[in-house]
């Protein structure tokens, strides 16, 4: 069963010393993240991309975050027809063993494999480039023209700046001022 418009997640708690696995269903809300652990994310992306591509999925994103006392390794996958729970499970099983073998994370963490959802978080250059011409939502660290939350059509993206069309005006936004950026779901 396909759920292209919903975020599906499989959550597994990995207890490294005991090698015990517990599986839980998970429903989460997106939460802003403090950009840390970039090195682990890059290593994981390099490690997992060929495995996930071999299964004919795209590795959309990798996030390694601490929330409260827990660490999470979030693997986000995509494909044109959308992602099902079975797709998440298939990828989880494919990467499970290699994560244990490579042992890049030396602490307990929750492994989540999910779809990007209908309102995708935009974190990487390729995410923004795919959305040129589409409406996006941006939350800023510092207000721009007295606004911290804006929505508009993404006109261009470069590493340091993007252009967003709001009504008839083009806004230039420093990418370092972006707290979070997402696609906008226009369902109706």
């Amino acid at each position: 069963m396909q759920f292209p418009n919903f975020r599906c997640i499989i959550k597994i708690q990995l207890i490294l010393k005991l090698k015990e696995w517990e599986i839980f269903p998970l429903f989460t809300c997106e939460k802003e993240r403090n950009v840390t652990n970039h090195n682990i994310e890059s290593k994981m992306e390099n490690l997992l991309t060929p495995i996930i591509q071999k299964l004919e999925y795209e590795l959309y994103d990798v996030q390694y975050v601490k929330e409260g006392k827990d660490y999470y390794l979030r693997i986000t996958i995509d494909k044109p027809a959308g992602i099902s729970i079975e797709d998440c499970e298939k990828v989880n099983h494919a990467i499970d063993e290699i994560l244990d073998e490579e042992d890049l994370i030396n602490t307990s963490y929750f492994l989540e494999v999910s779809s990007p959802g209908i309102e995708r978080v935009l974190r990487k250059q390729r995410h923004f480039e795919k959305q040129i011409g589409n409406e996006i939502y941006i939350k800023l660290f510092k207000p721009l023209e007295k606004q911290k939350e804006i929505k508009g059509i993404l006109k261009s993206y470069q590493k340091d700046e993007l252009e967003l069309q709001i009504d008839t005006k083009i806004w230039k936004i420093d990418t370092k001022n972006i707290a979070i950026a997402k696609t906008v779901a226009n369902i109706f």
Side-chain angles (χ1 to χ4, degrees):
M1 177 181 278
Q2 298 291 333
F3 299 99
N5 295 335
F6 296 96
R7 186 175 175 92
C8 61
I9 298 177
I10 294 177
K11 179 178 178 181
I12 295 186
Q13 182 177 17
L14 175 61
I15 304 170
L16 294 175
K17 293 179 183 171
L18 300 176
K19 300 290 182 191
E20 293 176 4
W21 296 88
E22 297 174 323
I23 300 177
F24 304 90
L26 173 70
F27 299 93
T28 62
C29 297
E30 280 301 318
K31 184 175 179 183
E32 289 181 46
R33 79 195 266 293
N34 183 0
V35 182
T36 59
N37 301 310
H38 179 72
N39 194 30
I40 289 174
E41 291 174 357
S42 295
K43 287 179 181 180
M44 286 294 178
E45 191 164 338
N46 292 335
L47 175 68
L48 300 176
T49 295
I51 298 165
I52 291 171
Q53 284 178 342
K54 190 174 181 180
L55 296 171
E56 299 182 0
Y57 299 103
E58 172 195 352
L59 179 58
Y60 183 81
D61 203 4
V62 175
Q63 293 181 328
Y64 181 66
V65 295
K66 182 176 184 184
E67 293 178 4
K69 63 181 176 65
D70 297 318
Y71 287 90
Y72 294 86
L73 177 61
R74 295 190 172 121
I75 309 300
T76 309
I77 59 172
D78 200 13
K79 69 178 181 183
I83 297 296
S84 69
I85 292 172
E86 290 80 13
D87 294 325
C88 294
E89 187 176 13
K90 183 178 177 181
V91 169
N92 178 70
H93 290 304
I95 66 175
D96 181 45
E97 194 172 311
I98 192 79
L99 290 174
D100 280 345
E101 287 172 12
E102 293 296 321
D103 200 24
L104 296 175
I105 301 173
N106 61 2
T107 186
S108 298
Y109 62 92
F110 293 98
L111 173 62
E112 296 178 359
V113 175
S114 72
S115 71
I118 192 165
E119 290 191 336
R120 298 160 183 250
V121 174
L122 307 173
R123 292 190 338 126
K124 300 179 185 251
Q125 182 171 342
R126 62 186 161 87
H127 297 161
F128 284 96
E129 288 171 349
K130 281 186 177 179
Q131 297 304 318
I132 291 176
N134 295 322
E135 187 176 29
I136 65 170
Y137 161 85
I138 296 175
K139 185 172 183 181
L140 302 169
F141 289 115
K142 298 177 198 165
L144 183 63
E145 296 189 23
K146 299 182 183 178
Q147 294 186 38
K148 285 189 80 172
E149 296 184 35
I150 52 179
K151 207 186 287 188
I153 305 297
L154 181 61
K155 291 309 225 179
S156 69
Y157 177 84
Q158 275 120 45
K159 187 176 183 177
D160 298 328
E161 181 180 82
L162 63 80
E163 291 182 349
L164 200 66
Q165 181 180 343
I166 302 171
D167 297 320
T168 58
K169 185 177 178 185
I170 301 290
W171 292 33
K172 293 183 186 255
I173 300 170
D174 182 350
T175 56
K176 292 178 182 145
N177 190 25
I178 297 174
I180 192 164
K182 294 181 180 185
T183 60
V184 174
N186 292 316
I187 301 172
F188 304 102

